[in-house]
Amino acid sequence: MPLHSIGSKAAVPSAEARVAGYDWQALAEEMSGYGCAVMEKLLTPQECREIAGLYPDESRFRSHVHMARHGFGKGEYRYFRYPLPDLIGGLRTALYPRLAAVANDWNERMGIAQRYPGEHAAFLKQCHEQGQTRPTPLLLQYGPGDFNCLHQDLYGDLAFPLQVAILLSEPDKDFTGGEFVLTEQRPRMQSRAEVVPLRQGDAVAFAVHNRPVQGSKGSYRVNLRHGVSRIRSGIRHTVGIIFHDAK
């Protein structure tokens, strides 16, 4: 896919076509069982390089965060401004309905009344009505020694319970270390960690804050956080697709 297509309307049907190609029943079962699921090769290596190459272009972004200043870890990231690059915006639109089905099932099992509309535009309208109007998709950059503390990406009262991260760099070639980590805090039990192996272009869909777990007396709620382990060498870029907007 040529560079101009990152910002062209031609990228939108391409995003829908590639998202539709995955086995979403299997992915939903994986997310419900472990809190995350991997979509292999969502982006091509060329697309990964082109998106990562946007990082120095300040005109693409609304803000720049140095993580150490806020106690978030070490590294930096930039939030995209609207309009999003079309490939990223197209993936956000195409991924949402599949994830909304999982989110609605989870909320039903956890006894949460919130239900999410079938289309992302309708959900964004709800965000904007609550004063959450700032885009949240972001591009992250880590260097040697950088890491991301365990956290939850909640930007307002209305938060979509799943999000997606896509690794843009190639492990063991562009960087070493930097594993994606998900931890699960279970009631009256020790925490469980999930380390997710990713290659360049792979995406991981994962729980933002809560998911249901089936127990002997029905479903109960567990709390999740995610982060990135220490980068040992090289540069690691990731794009994050968060479906709710921020205040």
Side-chain angles (χ1 to χ4, degrees), residues 3-225:
L3 178 61
H4 66 79
S5 67
I6 286 180
S8 76
K9 289 183 167 46
V12 177
S14 174
E16 172 58 37
R18 70 181 81 189
V19 166
Y22 291 96
D23 182 344
W24 280 95
Q25 181 175 346
L27 290 172
E29 291 173 357
E30 189 84 0
M31 282 182 266
S32 292
Y34 300 99
C36 62
V38 174
M39 292 167 276
E40 295 182 351
K41 299 180 180 179
L42 181 62
L43 297 180
T44 67
Q46 178 68 16
E47 288 167 341
C48 290
R49 288 189 291 269
E50 290 170 351
I51 294 172
L54 298 176
Y55 196 83
D57 183 359
E58 294 184 4
S59 68
R60 296 273 190 169
F61 304 96
R62 66 172 177 83
S63 66
H64 185 183
V65 177
H66 293 274
M67 294 162 63
R69 295 177 186 172
H70 306 277
F72 297 162
K74 190 180 176 189
E76 57 183 77
Y77 53 86
R78 294 175 184 254
Y79 287 106
F80 285 99
R81 66 170 70 249
Y82 280 134
L84 301 175
D86 265 10
L87 181 54
I88 295 169
L91 287 171
R92 198 184 191 206
T93 299
L95 287 163
Y96 172 85
R98 279 85 176 179
L99 297 176
V102 177
N104 285 332
D105 173 62
W106 285 7
N107 278 8
E108 182 176 354
R109 290 170 58 191
M110 292 186 291
I112 298 172
Q114 173 78 44
R115 295 294 181 270
Y116 302 95
E119 299 298 326
H120 191 234
F123 177 65
L124 282 183
K125 184 173 184 291
Q126 293 178 358
C127 289
H128 296 173
E129 288 171 349
Q130 295 199 28
Q132 296 177 212
T133 59
R134 296 189 297 163
T136 48
L138 69 164
L139 188 54
L140 302 101
Q141 178 173 278
Y142 303 91
D146 291 352
F147 62 95
N148 197 343
C149 294
L150 294 169
H151 66 284
Q152 299 172 326
D153 291 310
L154 304 172
Y155 296 97
D157 294 333
L158 188 57
F160 190 72
L162 288 144
Q163 67 189 70
V164 172
I166 310 170
L167 183 61
L168 303 178
S169 307
E170 181 60 33
D172 301 322
K173 179 182 176 183
D174 298 323
F175 71 97
T176 60
E179 294 86 0
F180 178 86
V181 180
L182 194 68
T183 64
E184 190 173 271
Q185 295 174 294
R186 301 175 293 173
R188 298 176 298 281
M189 300 172 71
Q190 292 182 329
S191 295
R192 184 183 72 88
E194 183 89 6
V195 178
V196 183
L198 298 171
R199 306 302 303 183
Q200 185 181 44
D202 290 352
V204 56
F206 58 96
V208 173
H209 59 321
N210 294 313
R211 78 173 182 93
V213 172
Q214 186 64 36
S216 59
K217 298 180 180 179
S219 293
Y220 62 94
R221 193 181 309 186
V222 297
N223 190 49
L224 295 102
R225 296 180 184 275

